Amino acid sequence: MPELTREEKLRLLTILLESRHGDLREQNLNRQGKGHFHVSGMGHEALATISIQMQEDDYIVPFYRDRALVLGRGVSSQQLAIDYFAKAKGESHGRQMPSHYSCAEKHIWSVPTPTGSQLLPACGIAWGIKLDSKKAVVVATVGDAATRQGDFYEAICFAKEKKLPILFVVEDNGYGISSPTRKINPRALDVVQPNDWQELDGSDVGEMYGQAAKAFAHIRAGEGPVFFWVMMERLSSHTSSDDHKLYRSAEELKRCEECDPLKKWKEQLIAEGAISESDYANLENEIKERIRREFADAEKEEDPLADELFLEVTGKFPQLNDEVLPPGKYRIGDTVNKTLRLGLERDKRRIIFGEDIEDPKGGVFRLTQKLSTDFPKQVFNSPLAESTILGVACGLGSYGKRPVFELQFIDFIGPGWNQLVTNICCLRWRSFGQWKCPMVIYAPYGAYLPGGSLWHSQANEAALAHYPGLSVVIPATPEDAAGLLWTAMHCEDPVLFLIPKHMFWAERESAEPIRAIPLGKARKRQAGSDVTLIAWGNTVEKALEAIQKIENEASIELIDLRSISPWDRETIEESVRKTGRVVIVQEDTENCSVGQMIITHLTSQTDLWNRMVSPPILVSKGNVMIGYNPIYEYAALPDVQRIIAAIRKSISMKQQRPVAVAVSAAEPIERDHFEPKPIQPRATTAATARRQPITVPIMGEGIRSAKVVALLKKPGDGIELDDALCEVETDKAVYPIESSFAGTMGQWKVEVGATVEIGQELGTILVEGGRQERTVEAAVSAAESVESGRHARRYTIEPALSPTITRKLSRVIPANLQIDARWDAIRKAREAAKKKNGRNAASPSVMIAWAVVRAMEKHAPFRRLILEDETIVENENFDLGIAVAIEGDRLATAVVTEANRKSWNEFAEVYRKTVDETRSGRVDAMNAPVVISSLGAFGVRAAAPIVVPPSVGTLFIGSAHREMLRNGKQNETAEVITLSLTFDHRVVNGAGAANFAHEIKEQIEEFMIPVEETRAAKS
């Protein structure tokens, strides 16, 4: 433990006295009516021992009892006096309550009142330090009552996961206002790891100093976080609004005096001879009088001005004209990915963080595909913890990084709401611009894709835009997505970037380079003179469809708002002055919505009110959630017919003074025009019952279109239930569309290679009965249907390979090589396994598969996949495919996922289970670089297999047989198997394939059942 010099001891004593008399002075001023509020730090003063040891680059993220801690960091009592009176010179410019410390110059982060909410931003600051490889430390403090907050646990987890340079200090004074906490905190309940936490006596200044010194040395050495649980007593009421004598006995309060760190430190120094009684009395009186003068001077300082209220809500928005992307055809998903990539390239401070965003998945919507591979020091997976995502972003931005963080769906923002409204939106304002958190939170948004239900379909922009300090943008085109995201990434304030997932994959050509778009500027999509139609996000598409249907009835000006906060008042006002009519279409809930905000603004402007000839109309989702059944979803959402009805209603009023504001589409307009009518059963006449449409089904979130890759039935073919009719391909997979009834194939309305939209009719089926069936659209399966034993069926001879596989093979450049491997080691291992495990012994196939995985680990080209666009990706962790014979002389592929991460026992069990389930009909997504095939059961010694992308190699294992082999100068017969490797020459060259095959041969010939229980997991 380091020895304190006399000067250091007296300096500590001075800080403790300053803190104590600052608290006492504020209590006196409150009783004199000169102050409004006071939070005491009496009893917590020993934490000054931590701050006096901190270095210039260190940070403190405190809470409101840390007066001594910030004094030890160098904040003056005079500054705290100015803050107490909420003066203009205060650190918050009079915006924060007393004891809500902040000083950017000394790296003291702005205290939020909801205690506990500062811990995740503290982790964000610490992560920034770690990413920059600095030796700095973050000290984060919290009261014991707040350790029951969820953010406390998330912060501990993140700090331990990342080995952050952070010292957590729980200041346990035994109370949460009036509620005792010693029996209900996480340590008492055995919720946190006891070995993680050092319990310290907060009244022992010497012990606190020594343990803090050890903690700093540990953290600066890169050993990760340290956790202090400091036992202390609160020597005053909770705040000036509380009286602890109501719930604490006189005896308890008397005992608390014995735990006073100032009293004990004074007595220790006098006993040591570091200071005399009289010198102490003089020092205390000197400090007391100085603080009295400083508070008197602070009271005379200037107050903030009323017209400064709106300063520092946000900074100035960047006005950029950067070229973001060249001309071309784009989808929103493409432009988001490319813009993120450009941002990472241009600024190494930019960090992307979110659930499942690393490769190989690249995000649930593939928005970050290949980014973690190309920028491994800037792109990271997050835990499933939205408060962590938002809180860490806030801290990283405060530190100086440029976080661009992903939420999987904006619906999931709920757990992070505390961070959003407590810290992110108001950090700049509450610190008067000293602290800010430039950051982007992007997330899929909205509905119009059935199957999302309550938590994958929300449009909640109004709730987000409600909070000052937050910018909210919603692009509806690929150009706007790139332009707005680029600007958002250069803002000095938080931006919520909401991406309408229904529009993700709608392609649009941009003839001009895509440039940055300023926030707060709407886009006029179409000029008109009769009605102003305002929409944003998904509803822009619906508005355009409505205009197409009634373009001959009225001249409609369509404005895509696109920026919700700030929003473009000028463009909308100008349009409404011209048209005198306005219809607003929104996907969000009607109550307290953006549409209502716009109507309120327009009708409160006298000149606009006088020009309007029709009441404003809001076409909106009602005050209801989105249901899983598509009937619920489409009943809730604005549709084309409702928009058309609203426009017709608006233009039906000719130069009449509006008498009311129509804020709901359901009230001023005939209800049957606006609300979806119940679907009535169709007539089942013979003429209509025979033709059933085949339509493109909904195939997952964000999928709007697909390419027809195969028409499996010809006109006149017989069709049974569950027959595969055709195959369509999306960005995610190839799907067969199946029949939900029997009949005869009619005419196809599309050709192979055509791009089709969800819901588009592909062809017809003639049903044999007289009853009308439902449209064929939802029967989508990942496997081909197997039909047998139906005598009343017309059979057509199907090709051995599906058209999809045939198409993929057309791009492969195949090559094949063969090599023999001795069988002895596998035979011996099999016999040994049978003796030990009997019928549960691993088969030779498992042993060979294990050998192949080990060879793949050593040869990177055989860990690669070749994608549809011929992009080649390489994964450190990889799958292994096994061709399995199934009913009807067909083959399926069983997939052992992350084969290289499994121990021998795990691998053998998963191999057996996966093969069995595949034989039973299970279908896996095929992302295996190598597939193993064998016809050994039929006595086939050698064959040249095919390789089907995305795989780069197929290994055929022949049956064991005897061959004459060279052994030195002599020939001998040996039992061997022939390894026949077919590989895709686009990915692997001949030498690489030969080395890989030779490695498999060696692994097989030297095979022994692994003795270790587990393999080290690969990160």
Side-chain angles (χ1 to χ4, degrees):
M1 184 178 295
E3 285 291 329
L4 282 163
T5 65
R6 179 176 180 274
E7 289 74 17
E8 289 170 333
K9 291 177 179 179
L10 293 178
R11 181 188 170 201
L12 268 174
L13 179 63
T14 299
I15 293 171
L16 267 62
L17 278 167
E18 278 196 50
S19 181
R20 181 60 55 85
H21 283 286
D23 275 328
L24 292 172
R25 188 66 198 144
E26 289 184 9
Q27 287 182 355
N28 291 340
L29 290 167
N30 262 35
R31 288 193 287 268
Q32 296 169 19
K34 294 187 175 183
H36 306 298
F37 189 74
H38 169 63
V39 182
S40 168
M42 293 193 290
H44 292 239
E45 290 96 344
L47 265 67
T49 59
I50 295 174
S51 54
I52 66 168
Q53 301 184 64
M54 296 178 72
Q55 298 177 5
E56 183 179 359
D57 288 341
D58 294 342
Y59 285 77
I60 293 178
V61 183
F63 87 119
Y64 45 66
R65 296 211 190 278
D66 288 332
R67 189 184 200 94
L69 184 70
V70 301
L71 287 170
R73 183 63 172 152
V75 175
S76 68
S77 289
Q78 183 179 21
Q79 184 61 57
L80 296 184
I82 292 171
D83 289 337
Y84 170 77
F85 286 110
K87 297 295 183 176
K89 285 186 179 179
E91 295 290 347
S92 74
H93 208 72
R95 296 174 174 186
Q96 284 263 63
M97 301 171 79
S99 302
H100 285 58
Y101 310 105
S102 174
C103 183
E105 179 187 357
K106 300 184 184 302
H107 289 179
I108 299 172
W109 201 71
S110 172
V111 171
T113 296
T115 182
S117 61
Q118 73 274 22
L119 299 179
L120 285 168
C123 288
I125 295 171
W127 193 24
I129 291 169
K130 185 177 178 69
L131 289 171
D132 285 347
S133 301
K134 291 184 177 179
K135 296 294 184 182
V137 175
V138 176
V139 173
T141 65
V142 67
D144 54 301
T147 60
R148 292 293 295 268
Q149 291 280 347
D151 281 7
F152 173 77
Y153 301 95
E154 290 195 31
I156 291 172
C157 289
F158 191 73
K160 294 182 74 171
E161 174 199 346
K162 299 290 187 184
K163 293 188 68 175
L164 296 181
I166 188 167
L167 171 61
F168 281 97
V169 182
V170 175
E171 302 177 34
D172 185 352
N173 60 33
Y175 280 89
I177 305 183
S178 66
S179 300
T181 58
R182 291 271 160 84
K183 294 181 180 180
I184 62 170
N185 68 53
R187 284 182 75 230
L189 298 172
D190 291 328
V191 173
V192 295
Q193 289 279 2
N195 294 337
D196 284 345
W197 294 86
Q198 300 178 46
E199 182 176 311
L200 303 179
D201 181 356
S203 68
D204 189 332
V205 174
E207 180 192 10
M208 288 289 299
Y209 184 91
Q211 293 302 324
K214 289 181 180 179
F216 284 137
H218 173 96
I219 296 169
R220 295 190 202 281
E223 298 300 318
V226 174
F227 304 93
F228 283 176
W229 198 286
V230 183
M231 308 299 290
M232 52 183 59
E233 294 294 342
R234 194 185 75 198
L235 302 181
S236 63
S237 298
H238 170 67
T239 66
S240 55
S241 301
D242 174 52
D243 182 0
H244 63 171
K245 293 177 183 177
L246 296 175
Y247 49 86
R248 303 179 78 175
S249 66
E251 292 77 13
E252 180 185 354
L253 294 176
K254 183 68 175 176
R255 289 195 303 271
C256 287
E257 294 176 6
E258 301 305 314
C259 299
D260 182 348
L262 173 60
K263 178 174 180 290
K264 292 178 70 173
W265 188 236
K266 163 198 164 184
E267 291 171 350
Q268 180 179 333
L269 295 189
I270 291 174
E272 291 176 357
I275 192 171
S276 66
E277 289 271 11
S278 61
D279 287 343
Y280 175 83
N282 291 336
L283 176 64
E284 181 177 25
N285 187 64
E286 175 190 327
I287 290 172
K288 180 180 179 180
E289 291 305 314
R290 172 166 59 84
I291 287 177
R292 185 191 297 273
R293 289 194 303 274
E294 288 173 345
F295 273 84
D297 291 341
E299 188 178 4
K300 300 172 186 175
E301 290 286 345
E302 295 291 331
D303 287 314
L305 302 175
D307 59 11
E308 295 174 326
L309 174 65
F310 288 95
L311 294 180
E312 301 295 347
V313 174
T314 63
K316 291 184 178 180
F317 295 115
Q319 300 298 313
L320 306 175
N321 191 37
D322 302 353
E323 180 177 328
V324 183
L325 295 173
K329 288 185 177 180
Y330 296 105
R331 303 169 299 179
I332 286 179
D334 302 326
T335 56
V336 169
N337 179 273
K338 292 177 184 295
T339 306
L340 291 174
R341 173 176 291 276
L342 186 63
L344 293 168
E345 290 172 351
R346 296 277 181 88
D347 193 341
K348 300 303 179 186
R349 298 175 301 162
R350 195 156 279 126
I351 305 295
I352 302 180
F353 184 63
E355 297 163 18
D356 298 296
I357 68 167
E358 287 185 24
D359 295 327
K361 191 166 184 67
V364 294
F365 290 101
R366 302 174 69 187
L367 298 177
T368 55
Q369 193 175 29
K370 301 179 188 175
L371 296 184
S372 68
T373 300
D374 295 341
F375 304 93
K377 295 182 179 180
Q378 294 172 265
V379 182
F380 305 93
N381 273 342
S382 75
L384 198 158
E386 284 75 19
S387 195
T388 295
I389 293 171
L390 270 69
V392 167
C394 182
L396 267 181
S398 298
Y399 170 74
K401 295 292 186 181
R402 308 291 299 197
V404 184
F405 283 16
E406 176 178 306
L407 293 178
Q408 277 193 351
F409 293 86
I410 195 61
D411 315 56
F412 299 162
I413 199 170
W417 198 256
N418 177 28
Q419 289 299 326
L420 188 72
V421 303
T422 299
N423 290 319
I424 293 171
C425 73
C426 65
L427 180 62
R428 176 193 278 269
W429 188 85
R430 77 184 191 222
S431 66
F432 202 65
Q434 281 198 37
W435 290 103
K436 52 184 182 289
C437 52
M439 58 186 284
V440 178
I441 298 295
Y442 69 92
Y445 150 100
Y448 291 97
L449 280 174
S453 192
L454 280 74
W455 291 286
H456 301 84
S457 305
Q458 285 189 44
N460 52 3
E461 63 268 21
L464 302 171
H466 175 77
Y467 288 91
L470 296 179
S471 295
V472 181
V473 295
I474 309 174
T477 66
E479 299 97 319
D480 284 358
L484 287 169
L485 180 56
W486 185 252
T487 301
M489 290 195 296
H490 289 81
C491 285
E492 293 299 317
D493 296 284
V495 180
L496 287 145
F497 183 82
L498 309 182
I499 318 170
K501 61 179 186 288
H502 176 64
M503 311 290 286
F504 266 166
W505 308 117
E507 192 170 64
R508 176 183 165 102
E509 184 162 8
S510 179
E512 300 292 332
I514 298 176
R515 296 190 174 278
I517 296 170
L519 270 59
K521 187 64 178 174
R523 180 192 290 275
K524 188 182 292 184
R525 294 292 295 269
Q526 175 175 307
S529 57
D530 293 333
V531 181
T532 299
L533 181 60
I534 304 170
W536 55 92
N538 288 318
T539 60
V540 172
E541 182 182 56
K542 299 301 174 187
L544 286 167
E545 292 175 12
I547 290 172
Q548 288 177 356
K549 289 182 180 294
I550 61 167
E551 58 187 351
N552 295 327
E553 299 181 31
S555 174
I556 300 170
E557 183 150 288
L558 175 60
I559 296 175
D560 178 356
L561 188 63
R562 72 182 178 180
S563 182
I564 306 302
S565 177
W567 64 285
D568 190 348
R569 292 168 170 80
E570 292 77 14
T571 295
I572 292 175
E573 288 174 4
E574 179 186 358
S575 178
V576 174
R577 282 191 184 96
K578 176 174 60 176
T579 66
R581 300 177 178 88
V582 62
V583 175
I584 302 172
V585 188
Q586 67 177 20
E587 190 179 349
D588 200 355
T589 305
E590 181 181 339
N591 277 2
C592 306
S593 63
V594 173
Q596 290 183 337
M597 171 189 74
I598 295 172
I599 290 172
T600 300
H601 174 77
L602 294 175
T603 55
S604 66
Q605 307 298 311
T606 304
D607 63 326
L608 288 173
W609 175 253
N610 290 334
R611 287 176 177 268
M612 293 180 71
V613 296
S614 173
I617 298 174
L618 175 61
V619 184
S620 173
K621 178 169 76 70
N623 300 315
V624 69
M625 279 67 74
I626 299 292
Y628 179 63
N629 190 302
I631 293 173
Y632 282 137
E633 177 157 352
Y634 287 118
L637 295 170
D639 57 23
V640 172
Q641 291 307 313
R642 291 176 65 193
I643 298 170
I644 291 173
I647 294 171
R648 286 174 174 161
K649 180 68 175 179
S650 182
I651 62 178
S652 68
M653 300 189 69
K654 305 294 185 182
Q655 301 298 328
Q656 297 177 19
R657 185 72 168 83
V659 295
V661 176
V663 296
S664 169
E667 293 177 10
I669 300 173
E670 290 77 11
R671 199 170 187 86
D672 58 352
H673 287 172
F674 267 86
E675 296 190 350
K677 296 180 181 180
I679 299 173
Q680 300 297 327
R682 297 180 183 176
T684 56
T685 65
T688 60
R690 293 186 57 78
R691 294 183 181 274
Q692 295 298 326
I694 305 166
T695 59
V696 181
I698 295 163
M699 292 174 286
E701 293 279 4
I703 297 174
R704 296 168 54 91
S705 61
K707 179 188 287 186
V708 178
V709 295
L711 300 177
L712 305 180
K713 296 295 183 182
K714 298 177 182 177
D717 284 354
I719 293 175
E720 296 292 335
L721 290 171
D722 302 330
D723 272 2
L725 304 173
C726 62
E727 289 181 339
V728 295
E729 184 177 36
T730 72
D731 288 331
K732 297 185 177 181
V734 175
Y735 295 89
I737 297 178
E738 299 179 350
S739 175
S740 60
F741 46 81
T744 302
M745 184 65 211
Q747 294 297 318
W748 288 108
K749 297 185 178 182
V750 294
E751 297 178 349
V752 172
T755 298
V756 293
E757 302 293 324
I758 303 302
Q760 180 177 334
E761 186 174 329
L762 303 177
T764 58
I765 295 174
L766 306 178
V767 299
E768 298 183 6
R771 189 172 66 86
Q772 178 82 2
E773 300 287 348
R774 287 199 320 170
T775 297
V776 184
E777 63 175 10
V780 180
S781 168
E784 296 181 3
S785 174
V786 180
E787 300 288 348
S788 61
R790 295 192 175 100
H791 300 293
R793 176 180 179 181
R794 287 184 59 180
Y795 285 89
T796 57
I797 299 173
E798 297 183 0
L801 296 176
S802 76
T804 302
I805 291 178
T806 302
R807 179 177 55 83
K808 290 184 177 182
L809 286 173
S810 67
R811 299 196 301 270
V812 174
I813 304 175
N816 179 265
L817 57 82
Q818 299 183 1
I819 188 172
D820 288 336
R822 291 178 179 266
W823 188 243
D824 311 35
I826 296 290
R827 185 177 293 282
K828 289 178 182 177
R830 170 65 171 167
E831 291 171 354
K834 288 172 68 176
K835 287 181 181 178
K836 181 178 179 181
N837 299 320
R839 297 180 62 183
N840 294 325
S843 68
S845 298
V846 176
M847 298 174 186
I848 293 172
W850 179 266
V852 172
V853 171
R854 305 286 77 79
M856 292 171 71
E857 287 179 323
K858 296 183 179 181
H859 293 269
F862 286 91
R863 298 199 298 271
R864 295 172 183 166
L865 297 169
I866 183 161
L867 307 180
E868 275 295 313
D869 59 1
E870 300 199 2
T871 301
I872 299 170
V873 296
E874 181 178 313
N875 298 317
E876 185 176 354
N877 298 315
F878 52 84
D879 301 348
L880 179 69
I882 305 101
V884 178
I886 59 177
E887 184 182 357
D889 291 338
R890 295 182 301 120
L891 290 176
T893 304
V895 180
V896 178
T897 58
E898 295 195 331
N900 60 310
R901 291 174 61 90
K902 292 178 171 52
S903 68
W904 165 252
N905 290 333
E906 291 171 336
F907 183 86
E909 174 60 24
V910 171
Y911 182 103
R912 179 195 60 76
K913 183 178 179 182
T914 303
V915 169
D916 288 347
E917 290 177 350
T918 302
R919 287 196 177 109
S920 300
R922 166 176 164 171
V923 177
D924 290 317
M926 237 304 290
N927 288 305
V930 174
V931 177
I932 300 175
S933 178
S934 173
L935 295 175
F938 297 95
V940 179
R941 294 186 179 186
I946 61 174
V947 56
V948 181
S951 301
V952 298
T954 303
L955 180 69
F956 179 87
I957 311 295
S959 63
H961 61 281
R962 301 196 75 82
E963 290 281 354
M964 188 71 70
L965 299 179
R966 191 79 174 169
N967 185 6
K969 296 182 179 181
Q970 297 181 343
N971 292 331
E972 65 178 18
T973 62
E975 190 174 25
V976 299
I977 57 171
T978 298
L979 308 176
S980 178
L981 176 66
T982 299
F983 56 96
D984 192 334
H985 231 311
R986 295 177 298 169
V987 184
V988 188
N989 60 33
N995 282 330
F996 178 60
H998 192 267
E999 180 66 37
I1000 298 172
K1001 165 185 165 73
E1002 290 187 347
Q1003 292 283 343
I1004 290 174
E1005 291 181 345
E1006 298 171 5
F1007 181 83
M1008 296 180 64
I1009 293 178
V1011 294
E1012 74 272 19
E1013 287 300 315
T1014 59
R1015 288 176 56 78
K1018 298 179 183 295
S1019 59

